[in-house]
Amino acid sequence: MWRRVAQLSSLVPSSKAFLRNQPQPPYGLQTCGAFSTEILKPAKDGVPTTTREKLPFITFVLGGPGSGKGTQCLKIVETFGFSHLSAGDLLRKEISSNSENGAKILETIKEGKIVPSEVTVKLIQRAIESNNNDRFLIDGFPRSEENRRAYERIVGAEPNIVLFFDCPEEEMVKRVLNRNQGRVDDNIDTIKKRLEVFNALSLPVINYYSKKGKLHKIRAVGTEDEIFERVHPIFTRMEVMKRK
Ligand code: C5P
Ligand code: MG
């Protein structure tokens, strides 16, 4: 049976074996070249390098596969005027655009592993830079401490807040298997691997933001509206949301 996130220490040995097969830096470095003209200079002395006068308000949206990140993001977009950038969608778009990286990204997604951070961060950065909105939801990112550090290094900023949709594994598996979106990774074998990656690599990121006081943990069970009732006050109590 699937276990809850909090009870998954027994999965760690198998996760370690699995993680040994993660793509190593040379892959990241090779794939990086295609986007090199898009990179802004890395932050110097902690000052973010961006072409904007004012940094946008960035919300990272985290949670396991099927935890409802995308569904809740759509509601946040409608209510609070955010732009929604899903890291997974950006990667899938990259695959369908037949880019140089497409085949490798597809392989990585099929195996439920994490695409080299430089590739994903540059797609996110490009999407932010081409959109004038002052508020973004970055959904499904960072998936690992390495993702997080690459974002900080390349974009030169931290998120303002982080949402974590906390959902029992049984529920996540059920939702993913029922959603019929035609995704290559929505099958039981890949879901198991994605859950292993989530527990081994994404939970440390969630703990990191919790320690920094940026994390908002949301119980992600119930109807879409019930869950959104828990999300709504997080944004309404923020002064910055009144700018629109
Ligand atoms: O978030 P989503 O479920 O759409 O992600 C699908 C897949 O995209 C992940 O399982 C992973 O293979 C890849 N991904 C990634 N790095 C991210 C987000 C997604 O490698 N930050
Ligand atoms: Mg999604």
Side-chain angles (χ1 to χ4, degrees):
M1 264 324 269
W2 297 97
R3 284 153 284 195
R4 283 187 65 97
V5 163
Q7 298 165 334
L8 276 169
S9 50
S10 59
L11 264 179
V12 170
S14 61
S15 302
K16 277 191 186 146
F18 173 68
L19 294 169
R20 273 198 293 275
N21 298 324
Q22 283 280 297
Q24 294 304 304
Y27 168 55
L29 292 174
Q30 281 160 15
T31 52
C32 187
F35 301 105
S36 56
T37 54
E38 307 285 341
I39 315 175
L40 294 177
K41 286 196 186 106
K44 278 190 189 146
D45 306 324
V47 181
T49 30
T50 171
T51 53
R52 286 165 203 263
E53 275 177 25
K54 208 167 174 192
L55 280 179
F57 185 94
I58 300 285
T59 300
F60 284 163
V61 182
L62 304 178
S67 59
K69 303 184 291 294
T71 307
Q72 292 299 318
C73 279
L74 297 184
K75 289 180 173 287
I76 300 168
V77 165
E78 275 169 24
T79 314
F80 298 106
F82 277 79
S83 291
H84 175 211
L85 302 178
S86 152
D89 285 350
L90 290 171
L91 291 167
R92 284 184 284 273
K93 226 182 270 168
E94 201 57 11
I95 296 170
S96 43
S97 74
N98 289 321
S99 81
E100 186 193 333
N101 295 320
K104 283 178 183 165
I105 296 174
L106 176 61
E107 257 340 281
T108 310
I109 287 182
K110 271 188 191 162
E111 291 171 17
K113 294 181 185 174
I114 297 180
V115 171
S117 298
E118 285 80 1
V119 173
T120 315
V121 171
K122 279 172 222 154
L123 291 173
I124 292 170
Q125 187 183 42
R126 195 162 56 175
I128 294 175
E129 290 296 323
S130 63
N131 182 327
N132 282 330
N133 203 345
D134 64 352
R135 56 196 69 181
F136 291 89
L137 298 169
I138 304 186
D139 160 5
F141 183 94
R143 282 283 222 278
S144 64
E145 280 286 277
E146 210 247 326
N147 260 190
R148 177 183 70 72
R149 282 194 289 264
Y151 180 91
E152 287 177 13
R153 188 179 71 245
I154 296 171
V155 177
E158 286 205 2
N160 298 81
I161 61 166
V162 179
L163 307 183
F164 166 41
F165 289 97
D166 186 27
C167 190
E169 286 201 0
E170 295 91 335
E171 178 66 19
M172 292 196 281
V173 172
K174 202 166 67 188
R175 288 181 191 170
V176 173
L177 290 177
N178 286 332
R179 68 186 174 187
N180 284 326
Q181 291 174 348
R183 279 176 49 169
V184 290
D185 54 347
D186 282 353
N187 58 77
I188 191 63
D189 290 340
T190 312
I191 296 168
K192 279 185 192 174
K193 291 176 186 169
R194 287 158 71 193
L195 286 170
E196 285 180 15
V197 167
F198 176 74
N199 289 304
L201 299 185
S202 307
L203 282 182
V205 179
I206 288 161
N207 288 333
Y208 172 87
Y209 287 122
S210 174
K211 283 190 194 126
K212 287 205 119 189
K214 292 194 171 190
L215 194 81
H216 298 264
K217 181 169 158 174
I218 298 130
R219 201 167 63 84
V221 285
T223 65
E224 290 174 15
D225 287 341
E226 281 165 354
I227 298 168
F228 190 59
E229 272 175 33
R230 296 170 203 144
V231 172
H232 196 270
I234 297 170
F235 291 99
T236 46
R237 61 178 176 246
M238 271 186 292
E239 195 54 34
V240 71
M241 290 303 123
K242 298 183 185 139
R243 289 190 305 211
K244 282 223 158 150

